[in-house]
Amino acid sequence: LIIPVGTEVVSSEKTQKDKYFMMMSLDKKQAYVGEKIILSIKFFDRLFVDDLHLQFPNFENAYFIKNKNHFNKSMTIIEGEEYSITEWIFDVYGTEEGPLIFQDIHAAFVAPELESKFKLGGAFDFFRSLHKSEQHIVSKPVQVDIVSLPEHKDFKDVVAVGQFANFTASINQNSVPVGQGVALTTELSGNANFEMMKAPNLKLPNDFKYYDSNMVTLNKDRNCKRSEFIVQASRSGNYCIDPQVFTYFDPIDAQYKTLKSAAIDIEITPVIQEFQSVLNLESDESIDCKAKGVKDFSVIKQGSVHNQSQVIIPFNKFQKIFLLLILLWLLMIIYRYVLQGYVFRLPLWINFIAL
């Protein structure tokens, strides 16, 4: 069968093989809000293209995270043709109820143009094979239905969704003075939407308060999350920090679950202060330290008052004495160099003394 196409003749026996194509797949068709969805994007290529990368549109109702096995390459045979497979894997979390459609995800690359409308032959074919152009292709869209978490009278506004294996809480010191900060660390391990979860709220005894230290870390496998807090107590005593409670939704069992950490014992000791020792005076009169304003004075080392005796002259008197000394010094200069050296030697002064 010969089919004429324009000015060319194409034989039906020579079917055109795709040089490259793209496919997407999901691990489930329905998921809860916040439940992990695994998105696989595969690019099949028999030309070994260059600069291959993905371009994503803005998904407002989904949260994308690179899977720990994010990038894979392999080879396969399709209808007798060898293809290179490049696969990207993403963990996706739906944030809103409704259909979540994955579309308009582009694979961009630079590919050699091995086929041409004209067959020039010889050196022209060689130079044409070196020519490369940027290409963009998309896959057929895939869809998953996102459903809301089931309502429960005891559990509201739960964000954590997945399977959790362990929940612990610990402190770096078991005995601290009043007001001194102690680091409290919570640790969660499992397979869940860690990136969407906020740091847990702590349940502490009265007279305790805590601050976020902004130290929230996730390990490279994304299966363990640590949150650190600074805890302070305002009163001394022996306390027990109750077990911390963590609530999550298990999508496999379709039910809410809780994990509890162990209780923590902590001792808050009084603050040791150095008080000023009051000297015993010879008189029996007592001194009202509060009325005298002792807190406004520096503490004197014991015995220093008896070992040293200092004469203190008020500043205004010292100023007057200093001016008087300067005046006497000036008078002595005037007497010696003016009166004695000049005035007393004048004939007028000598005649006045003689009379």
Side-chain angles (χ1 to χ4, degrees):
L1 178 63
I2 302 298
I3 303 174
V5 180
T7 58
E8 292 187 83
V9 176
V10 180
S11 173
S12 64
E13 296 178 355
K14 296 182 181 180
T15 58
Q16 180 70 35
K17 296 287 194 310
D18 289 329
K19 293 179 289 185
Y20 29 72
F21 59 94
M22 178 179 171
M23 296 177 60
M24 294 191 298
S25 62
L26 301 170
D27 68 328
K28 51 179 67 72
K29 295 182 178 181
Q30 187 181 78
Y32 291 100
V33 172
E35 181 181 358
K36 180 186 295 185
I37 305 164
I38 299 178
L39 170 65
S40 172
I41 303 175
K42 292 183 179 181
F43 179 81
F44 295 79
D45 164 33
R46 66 184 179 92
L47 300 181
F48 300 99
V49 300
D50 298 325
D51 194 23
L52 175 62
H53 60 280
L54 296 178
Q55 296 178 353
F56 279 79
N58 184 24
F59 289 94
E60 296 181 354
N61 56 346
Y63 197 91
F64 283 79
I65 299 294
K66 291 181 180 180
N67 189 278
K68 62 180 180 180
N69 301 317
H70 168 64
F71 187 80
N72 300 305
K73 291 188 74 71
S74 59
M75 300 294 295
T76 188
I77 302 294
I78 301 177
E79 296 182 356
E81 293 288 344
E82 187 177 47
Y83 283 84
S84 168
I85 304 176
T86 304
E87 182 182 22
W88 298 268
I89 302 176
F90 298 91
D91 293 340
V92 185
Y93 305 97
T95 58
E96 298 177 4
E97 182 181 3
L100 176 56
I101 302 174
F102 299 94
Q103 60 184 356
D104 297 330
I105 299 177
H106 290 246
F109 54 91
V110 176
E113 293 292 337
L114 295 185
E115 297 179 7
S116 178
K117 181 177 179 181
F118 303 100
K119 296 190 177 295
L120 302 178
F124 292 100
D125 286 340
F126 171 75
F127 288 110
R128 187 172 60 249
S129 67
L130 297 180
H131 172 68
K132 295 182 179 181
S133 61
E134 184 171 298
Q135 305 287 337
H136 291 261
I137 63 170
V138 296
S139 169
K140 293 181 179 179
V142 291
Q143 175 179 327
V144 58
D145 294 326
I146 305 299
V147 298
S148 60
L149 299 181
E151 295 184 0
H152 196 287
K153 62 179 182 179
D154 297 329
F155 304 105
K156 304 292 183 181
D157 301 324
V158 175
V159 177
V161 179
Q163 293 78 44
F164 293 88
N166 196 23
F167 177 49
T168 62
S170 60
I171 55 177
N172 64 337
Q173 298 180 75
N174 291 96
S175 179
V176 292
V178 172
Q180 179 174 321
V182 59
L184 189 150
T185 303
T186 62
E187 188 172 294
L188 272 167
S189 59
N191 181 19
N193 56 343
F194 285 111
E195 290 82 3
M196 299 179 65
M197 295 163 46
K198 297 180 180 179
N201 295 322
L202 299 183
K203 182 181 179 182
L204 300 175
N206 294 332
D207 303 319
F208 275 68
K209 59 183 177 181
Y210 71 92
Y211 307 89
D212 261 335
S213 64
N214 297 323
M215 286 293 294
V216 179
T217 57
L218 191 64
N219 66 346
K220 64 178 182 179
D221 293 330
R222 298 175 48 248
N223 58 11
C224 183
K225 185 175 184 177
R226 292 166 55 94
S227 302
E228 293 186 8
F229 308 86
I230 301 299
V231 176
Q232 287 180 323
S234 58
R235 295 182 61 182
S236 61
N238 293 318
Y239 295 90
C240 178
I241 299 178
D242 292 334
Q244 305 300 306
V245 179
F246 173 73
T247 303
Y248 67 98
F249 181 78
D250 188 335
I252 295 179
D253 296 338
Q255 61 180 352
Y256 292 93
K257 298 180 180 180
T258 57
L259 289 175
K260 291 185 178 181
S261 65
I264 301 174
D265 294 324
I266 184 171
E267 179 187 14
I268 306 299
T269 59
V271 176
I272 301 176
Q273 298 180 347
E274 294 183 0
F275 295 94
Q276 180 182 11
S277 59
V278 180
L279 299 176
N280 293 326
L281 303 179
E282 294 180 358
S283 62
D284 295 331
E285 297 180 357
S286 61
I287 299 178
D288 186 354
C289 293
K290 184 175 182 181
K292 297 292 184 180
V294 175
K295 64 180 181 180
D296 297 330
F297 293 83
S298 301
V299 176
I300 301 175
K301 293 183 180 180
Q302 186 175 1
S304 60
V305 174
H306 302 285
N307 294 336
Q308 298 179 10
S309 178
Q310 298 178 356
V311 178
I312 300 176
I313 302 175
F315 179 73
N316 57 346
K317 292 184 179 181
F318 174 79
Q319 188 177 19
K320 292 178 180 179
I321 295 173
F322 181 72
L323 292 175
L324 181 60
L325 292 175
I326 292 177
L327 183 59
L328 292 174
W329 180 71
L330 291 175
L331 290 175
M332 290 178 63
I333 292 177
I334 293 172
Y335 173 77
R336 180 165 183 181
Y337 294 100
V338 178
L339 296 178
Q340 187 179 11
Y342 177 74
V343 177
F344 292 162
R345 295 181 180 181
L346 291 175
L348 182 62
W349 176 258
I350 297 174
N351 294 333
F352 176 77
I353 295 299
L355 292 175

